[in-house]
Amino acid sequence: MGNVKVDHSKYQNIRFDTQDESVILTEILETIPYEYPGKEVEVEIPTAEFTSVCPWSGLPDFAEIKITFVPDRHLIEMKSLKYYLTSYRNVGIYQEHATRRVLEELVAVAKPKRMRVEALWNPRGGLGTRVVAEFPEKS
């Protein structure tokens, strides 16, 4: 059984179409006023439906993402966040880069006191990935 040869050449030219990062709807992100400035509250937004694609193979990557933040003056408007996260659906982006990008773009629009984006990427080939990005950076 160890001498069986399998021809994998049929996979060489298969590639699924992917979109580049220019289609991510960053400009759709909106905020609403936080009516209790100076009074801290922790907001946690989980989603189990985040999808992007591997930039190398075009195969889908699925993640559970948890966004946790302490607002200063702004909350993230949920409908805009849903559209923003959904816009990653066909984008070829590495898991670590997607997680970091989400953090940076949400920080830019909401200007929170603190924020953490944790992504638990589904296993492929037996390997899963957990990526955590935080603002402000830990020293």
Side-chain angles (χ1 to χ4, degrees):
M1 204 167 199
N3 294 331
V4 175
K5 285 202 164 221
V6 179
D7 181 10
H8 293 285
S9 64
K10 63 185 175 186
Y11 299 107
Q12 282 182 324
N13 295 319
I14 293 177
R15 186 135 168 102
F16 296 98
D17 289 338
T18 61
Q19 295 174 299
D20 65 34
E21 294 181 39
S22 68
V23 302
I24 297 171
L25 299 175
T26 305
E27 68 283 350
I28 205 160
L29 286 169
E30 296 180 9
T31 61
I32 57 175
Y34 175 57
E35 296 179 5
Y36 300 93
K39 296 184 178 180
E40 285 199 2
V41 64
E42 185 175 272
V43 178
E44 187 174 291
I45 305 168
T47 181
E49 298 179 355
F50 185 86
T51 306
S52 60
V53 295
C54 172
W56 182 78
S57 68
L59 295 172
D61 284 327
F62 299 93
E64 292 181 28
I65 290 187
K66 182 168 51 172
I67 300 161
T68 308
F69 70 102
V70 175
D72 185 13
R73 299 195 172 277
H74 306 283
L75 297 168
I76 299 166
E77 195 280 323
M78 293 298 212
K79 183 177 180 180
S80 74
L81 180 61
K82 289 175 192 177
Y83 279 104
Y84 166 74
L85 292 174
T86 301
S87 72
Y88 279 81
R89 180 184 162 118
N90 294 318
V91 173
I93 187 169
Y94 292 110
Q95 297 169 351
E96 299 82 358
H97 297 172
T99 307
R100 185 70 205 187
R101 181 171 176 153
V102 169
L103 174 75
E104 289 184 2
E105 292 180 340
L106 293 179
V107 166
V109 73
K111 299 172 181 56
K113 291 181 179 180
R114 295 182 298 283
M115 183 175 281
R116 174 184 170 101
V117 175
E118 181 176 349
L120 184 57
W121 295 88
N122 288 1
R124 276 200 291 133
L127 296 175
T129 308
R130 179 177 168 266
V131 181
V132 177
E134 294 182 318
F135 168 84
E137 292 290 323
K138 290 186 175 182
S139 50

